[in-house]
Amino acid sequence: MSEVKVEKNVYNRNQELAGQNRQRFQDAQTYVINMVSSPGSGKTSLIEQMGPRLTSAGSKVFVIEGDVETERDADRLRQLGIEAVQIQTHGSCHLDATKVAKVLAGVKLEEVDLLIIENVGNLICPTGFDLGEDLRVVVASTAEGDDKPVKYPAAYHKADVCILNKIDLLGHIDFDVQQFQSGARRAKPDLTIFHTSCRTLEGIELWCDWLRSRCG
Amino acid sequence: MHELSIAEEILHVIEAEREQHGFETVEKVRLRSGALSGVDPSALEFAFEVIRAGTCAEKAELEIEMEPMKLVCRQCKFTMNDNRGPKACRQCGSLDVEIDATAGVDIVALEVEE
C-alpha cells in the first residue's frame, strides 16, 4: 500500500466555475446577489417587494428561482411583471455554479443590472457553493426563533448581509433581537443586518436603497 | 444532503489522481472537514458507499477528521475550543468573540494499491 498526497478542497471545481460566472457577470456589468435561508423565511416575498422598487427606466432586474419542485415562485414573480426563470433541482438541496451557468445561457446579461438568485430553502447545503455572486444575503424570519445563527453559524459566516424578516411579528412571539444579532455577529462580526416586514413594508425601502447604492 | 455532491466530487478527484498516478484501487480516503462544513460524517459515508460501486474506490474507507469549532476573542485573541458554551471570553470577559473555523472539506491523501 502506498500513499498519494492530494490536499484538494472538494469545492475547488465549483469554485472554478463560480469564477467563470463571476467574470461573465463583471463583463456584463451585472450585480448579483445570492439569497439563502430556511424554507418559509420570506425570500420570494422580499423579491416581490424588491423587484418593482429596483426596476426603473435604466435598471433591469432578473431573478433565478431555485426550488426542489414546481414553477410556483417564478410564476409569482412573473405575475408582478418581474422577469424570472425557475431552476427545479428535483431533489438536490442547493444550487451550484454549473446549474446557474446553464440557466443563464439563454439570458442577455448585458441588459440585466441586478440578478437576484433565490437559492433552495436550506440553511446548510447551499453554504459551501459559491455561485459567482457579489453579495451573499442570509434571510431569517422572526418566527424561526432567535437561536438560528448559533445553530447554523456557517450560513451567517459566509454571508455579507442578513435580513431579519417578519419583524412585524415581534410582540406576538418570544424573539430576542439582541440575542439574534449577537449570535449572527459571532459568526460574522461585520455582518450588516436589516429588519424588514413584507406586510407592513417596514425596512423595505432602507434595504432597497442600500442595495441600489451597492449595484450602482 | 449536500454530502452526495461532496461524495461525487471525492470520486471525481480520485479518478483524476488515478489518471496521474496510475494506481489500481483506493483502500482509504483521508478527509479533513471544517467545523463549518455542515458535513454529517455518517451521511457522507452513506453517500460515498452508494456511488463508489463499480469504481476503483469500491472498497475504500473514508477517514474523516473533523476540525473542532473554535471561538477567538477579538479583544485579547484568546482562543476557546467550544462554540456552544461561553458567550464571553474566558480570559478578558469581552463579548466580542468570533467563530474561527473553515467551511471546506479537503481530500488530504489516498491510500492506494499499485
Side-chain angles (χ1 to χ4, degrees), chain A residues 1-11 13 93-94 124-125 129 153-154 157-158 179 186-187 189, chain B residues 1-2 5 9 12 17 27 30 32 36 74 83 86-87 98-99 105-110 112 114:
Chain A
M1 190 129 45
S2 60
E3 193 188 69
V4 176
K5 291 227 179 302
V6 182
E7 286 295 346
K8 279 184 186 149
N9 193 306
V10 295
Y11 292 110
R13 208 152 51 116
C93 43
H94 57 271
I124 305 168
C125 306
F129 293 86
H157 182 72
K158 291 282 205 165
Q179 194 76 15
R186 177 191 281 204
Chain B
M1 189 58 190
H2 64 313
S5 303
E9 205 49 44
H12 179 84
E17 294 293 323
E27 305 299 310
R30 285 219 288 279
R32 191 187 313 110
L36 291 174
R74 301 221 300 163
N83 175 41
K87 282 185 180 157
E98 176 186 5
I99 287 171
V105 179
D106 293 314
I107 302 168
V108 180
L110 306 174
V112 301
E114 301 294 338

Side-chain angles (χ1 to χ4, degrees), chain A:
Chain A
M1 190 129 45
S2 60
E3 193 188 69
V4 176
K5 291 227 179 302
V6 182
E7 286 295 346
K8 279 184 186 149
N9 193 306
V10 295
Y11 292 110
N12 278 358
R13 208 152 51 116
N14 183 74
Q15 208 62 46
E16 274 171 33
L17 292 160
Q20 290 171 18
N21 287 351
R22 191 166 276 118
Q23 187 60 51
R24 204 181 150 208
F25 299 145
Q26 273 173 14
D27 292 346
Q29 293 188 308
T30 304
Y31 191 80
V32 183
I33 70 172
N34 176 10
M35 296 174 78
V36 298
S37 80
S38 23
S41 66
K43 294 186 295 302
T44 314
S45 297
L46 280 165
I47 297 170
E48 283 176 336
Q49 296 301 331
M50 290 157 64
R53 285 175 174 79
L54 296 165
T55 304
S56 63
S59 178
K60 186 171 157 183
V61 176
F62 191 89
V63 181
I64 295 176
E65 278 288 338
D67 276 300
V68 174
E69 299 290 347
T70 81
E71 286 259 336
R72 272 173 194 232
D73 282 358
D75 284 342
R76 268 175 68 178
L77 298 175
R78 288 185 201 118
Q79 275 168 15
L80 294 172
I82 303 167
E83 274 194 62
V85 63
Q86 182 84 42
I87 298 178
Q88 291 182 50
T89 63
H90 300 300
S92 183
C93 43
H94 57 271
L95 296 181
D96 58 35
T98 311
K99 287 197 182 81
V100 169
K102 243 182 221 167
V103 82
L104 283 175
V107 177
K108 285 186 182 147
L109 271 184
E110 292 67 25
E111 295 172 5
V112 177
D113 298 284
L114 173 65
L115 173 66
I116 303 172
I117 304 173
E118 183 185 330
N119 220 309
V120 179
N122 181 323
L123 269 184
I124 305 168
C125 306
T127 306
F129 293 86
D130 183 6
L131 305 178
E133 71 267 19
D134 295 291
L135 192 80
R136 177 86 60 100
V137 181
V138 60
V139 181
S141 64
T142 53
E144 293 165 50
D146 51 33
D147 55 0
K148 276 289 170 299
V150 185
K151 284 183 176 169
Y152 300 89
Y156 291 82
H157 182 72
K158 291 282 205 165
D160 305 295
V161 169
C162 169
I163 296 180
L164 179 58
N165 195 29
K166 306 187 190 180
I167 201 77
D168 54 300
L169 292 179
L170 290 184
H172 302 284
I173 52 173
D174 293 325
F175 185 96
D176 184 334
V177 175
Q178 286 306 320
Q179 194 76 15
F180 175 84
Q181 297 198 157
S182 78
R185 293 214 163 100
R186 177 191 281 204
K188 183 75 183 271
D190 54 353
L191 192 65
T192 305
I193 303 176
F194 291 91
H195 295 175
T196 59
S197 164
C198 296
R199 292 183 73 224
T200 66
L201 303 183
E202 180 182 343
I204 297 283
E205 292 295 347
L206 195 64
W207 155 237
C208 287
D209 283 346
W210 186 90
L211 186 55
R212 210 176 278 123
S213 74
R214 293 297 290 253
C215 52

Side-chain angles (χ1 to χ4, degrees), chain B residues 20-82:
Chain B
Q20 197 184 332
H21 299 282
F23 48 78
E24 277 299 310
T25 56
V26 178
E27 305 299 310
K28 193 183 266 184
V29 183
R30 285 219 288 279
L31 301 172
R32 191 187 313 110
S33 178
L36 291 174
S37 69
V39 164
D40 173 357
S42 61
L44 182 57
E45 277 161 14
F46 177 73
F48 189 65
E49 265 177 41
V50 171
I51 64 160
R52 72 186 178 178
T55 72
C56 66
E58 194 158 35
K59 294 195 175 116
E61 174 194 339
L62 291 187
E63 188 181 281
I64 309 169
E65 181 200 333
M66 303 293 287
E67 179 194 83
M69 183 75 91
K70 286 182 193 160
L71 281 180
V72 175
C73 174
R74 301 221 300 163
Q75 299 304 315
C76 74
K77 308 296 174 201
F78 182 69
T79 299
M80 299 177 280
N81 273 324
D82 185 11

